[in-house]
Amino acid sequence: MSAIKLNRLIISDIWQHKFLLVLMLCCLGSALAVVEFTHMNRQLTMYEDKILQHRDTLEMEWRNLLLEQRALSEHSRVEELASNKLNMVRPSGPQDVVVQQP
């Protein structure tokens, strides 16, 4: 019998202090939300670091490609390839033809 009275007493006490119960549940929910958002923030920070590292790698590759392009397009290299591989020569004075637009 005392167990039944104790259960009724606990239930009636909770019912009387339902505002405190709601506040306690809100506090618990708020704490869980803080934990979840902290976890999400850490994941996003790690993802951002990974993306920034990838960007740096791509920028370095881009710089290397620009250097390679400049080296391949130098005038002396183009002239050497034209004379050696394509047997091209620079025209002399009488061979020059000037085209004028009307």
Side-chain angles (χ1 to χ4, degrees):
M1 282 260 197
S2 66
I4 295 173
K5 288 182 182 179
L6 182 61
N7 287 344
R8 286 184 185 165
L9 180 63
I10 290 173
I11 292 171
S12 69
D13 190 42
I14 290 174
W15 187 254
Q16 289 175 356
H17 299 99
K18 54 188 164 202
F19 181 70
L20 291 177
L21 180 65
V22 170
L23 285 179
M24 184 178 71
L25 291 175
C26 288
C27 184
L28 183 63
S30 174
L32 290 174
V34 166
V35 168
E36 179 65 24
F37 284 120
T38 302
H39 178 67
M40 286 172 44
N41 187 25
R42 287 180 182 158
Q43 284 182 330
L44 288 174
T45 302
M46 289 186 328
Y47 181 70
E48 181 187 22
D49 288 343
K50 187 177 178 183
I51 293 293
L52 290 175
Q53 195 173 38
H54 185 65
R55 184 197 66 183
D56 292 342
T57 303
L58 289 175
E59 282 181 358
M60 190 180 322
E61 185 178 349
W62 173 252
R63 278 188 240 120
N64 289 338
L65 287 172
L66 285 176
L67 288 173
E68 182 180 350
Q69 181 184 20
R70 287 182 190 140
L72 292 175
S73 65
E74 284 184 8
H75 182 68
S76 60
R77 183 176 186 280
V78 172
E79 191 172 333
E80 179 186 339
L81 287 174
S83 64
N84 291 342
K85 289 191 176 183
L86 301 174
N87 298 323
M88 297 176 81
V89 292
R90 183 170 288 280
S92 61
Q95 293 174 333
D96 282 342
V97 176
V98 178
V99 178
Q100 295 179 356
Q101 291 183 343

